[in-house]
Amino acid sequence: KQIAEMVMRAQADIAIATEAITSVDGLVSMPCYQWEHVVVVPPDHPLMKLKSITLEEIAKYPLITYDAAFAGRSKIDHAFEVRHLKPDVLLEAIDADVIKTYVELGMGVGIIAGMAFDAERDQNLRTIPVGHLFGMNVSRVAVRQGAYLRTYMYTFIEMLSPTMNRKLIDQVMQGGKDSYDL
């Protein structure tokens, strides 16, 4: 919400977020990256032994995940609510590295964005893909409606989403097409 407000006040040119920016009047948003959540655990964790992971299995452990305003957290909460499960959210953080640190310390099971895990850097942890439980997420790039986009802004948006090009970006800025394939 803060970055969206900054773009609206012309304090920032571009906002990148997974939630919040699609519902802000005055912003035009475009999809740029599709991703899913993963569960992070130590290598010897009991969840690593399961063939198929369920919400019920995850809910047996204290959870360490994102703050409610970040990185698809609403989808995590919704998935548990639909199954009438009340997970024990031990810690909420705005940063995946904080979540991974507490998981490494054995305080609970982490749920993070898949791209936040680096097998080389996070050697003391393992991931379990859980997109089938929480759904896919789409990060979006947004600009102020009616803003003049400089060449570097077009280039940056095209780098974030190779399916976007200047013509399509201009079409979006003029109120055209509402959905795009990534």
Side-chain angles (χ1 to χ4, degrees):
K1 292 179 181 177
Q2 292 169 330
I3 191 67
E5 290 172 12
M6 290 175 70
V7 171
M8 290 302 297
R9 286 191 232 120
Q11 295 172 320
D13 292 327
I14 293 176
I16 302 170
T18 299
E19 298 182 12
I21 62 173
T22 58
S23 60
V24 177
D25 287 336
L27 286 186
V28 177
S29 72
M30 298 157 268
C32 64
Y33 186 75
Q34 189 170 357
W35 57 274
E36 67 181 342
H37 286 100
V38 295
V39 166
V40 288
V41 293
D44 59 349
H45 195 278
L47 289 176
M48 289 299 296
K49 296 177 177 88
L50 299 177
K51 247 184 184 176
S52 179
I53 191 168
T54 65
L55 289 171
E56 289 78 9
E57 289 294 331
I58 295 170
K60 291 178 182 178
Y61 302 94
L63 292 185
I64 303 166
T65 193
Y66 296 109
D67 179 81
F70 291 90
R73 172 65 187 274
S74 64
K75 285 190 172 186
I76 294 170
D77 293 342
H78 179 72
F80 284 110
E81 286 172 19
V82 167
R83 299 297 296 255
H84 305 290
L85 297 169
K86 290 262 188 201
D88 174 19
V89 179
L90 180 71
L91 178 73
E92 296 177 338
I94 61 172
D95 182 82
D97 287 331
V98 171
I99 296 167
K100 292 184 290 186
T101 297
Y102 283 98
V103 170
E104 279 185 297
L105 292 172
M107 293 184 68
V109 169
I111 302 175
I112 63 171
M115 74 285 239
F117 182 82
D118 180 331
E120 192 172 307
R121 185 184 64 222
D122 301 319
Q123 292 182 13
N124 297 327
L125 296 172
R126 301 294 179 271
T127 62
I128 303 168
V130 288
H132 65 288
L133 299 175
F134 302 119
M136 296 303 291
N137 296 278
V138 177
S139 292
R140 302 179 71 85
V141 58
V143 295
R144 192 169 21 90
Q145 193 169 21
Y148 172 76
L149 301 185
R150 295 173 182 88
T151 302
Y152 73 86
M153 294 169 72
Y154 283 103
T155 302
F156 184 68
I157 293 168
E158 291 169 358
M159 289 172 66
L160 288 173
S161 180
T163 60
M164 298 298 287
N165 58 48
R166 187 178 186 121
K167 183 178 176 184
L168 189 53
I169 295 166
D170 285 341
Q171 184 180 351
V172 173
M173 292 296 291
Q174 294 170 8
K177 207 170 177 187
D178 287 335
S179 63
Y180 311 88
D181 294 328
L182 290 177

